[in-house]
Amino acid sequence: MALPKISEIRDLSDQELQERIAAARRQLFDLRFQQATRRLEKNHQFKHTRHQLAQLLTVERERLLTTSKSPVAEE
């Protein structure tokens, strides 16, 4: 499974972005639970999920900063 490209994530709508963030956090919780109960078979899923979550949060933060920037009033 290849790591996702950030360009694909930037094409998502705000609603889809929020849904993917929630799904990634839920998946990390499930992976930790599987690891604790010794049912986890693919340890690399941690890396992929954390990487994807980081990309999603980065795009969310970029959008937040671009919308909150107000033009600087020149005197």
Side-chain angles (χ1 to χ4, degrees):
M1 176 179 167
L3 294 174
K5 304 223 182 281
I6 198 156
S7 60
E8 297 170 2
I9 294 172
R10 285 193 173 108
D11 294 337
L12 298 174
S13 69
D14 289 339
Q15 181 66 26
E16 291 173 327
L17 187 65
Q18 292 299 322
E19 290 172 1
R20 292 245 184 127
I21 289 172
R25 287 184 171 154
R26 202 172 319 115
Q27 186 177 7
L28 275 175
F29 175 80
D30 291 340
L31 289 171
R32 286 192 301 267
F33 188 77
Q34 288 176 11
Q35 186 180 35
T37 58
R38 305 217 185 250
R39 291 186 294 138
L40 183 65
E41 294 179 8
K42 300 178 182 176
N43 289 330
H44 70 280
Q45 288 178 329
F46 275 110
K47 177 182 177 181
H48 289 285
T49 307
R50 281 196 317 264
H51 182 81
Q52 183 180 16
L53 181 60
Q55 286 180 328
L56 291 165
L57 292 173
T58 298
V59 171
E60 180 185 42
R61 180 72 176 152
E62 286 173 351
R63 290 182 185 178
L64 179 67
L65 290 175
T66 57
T67 58
S68 67
K69 283 187 180 179
S70 59
V72 178
E74 294 183 17
E75 295 179 24

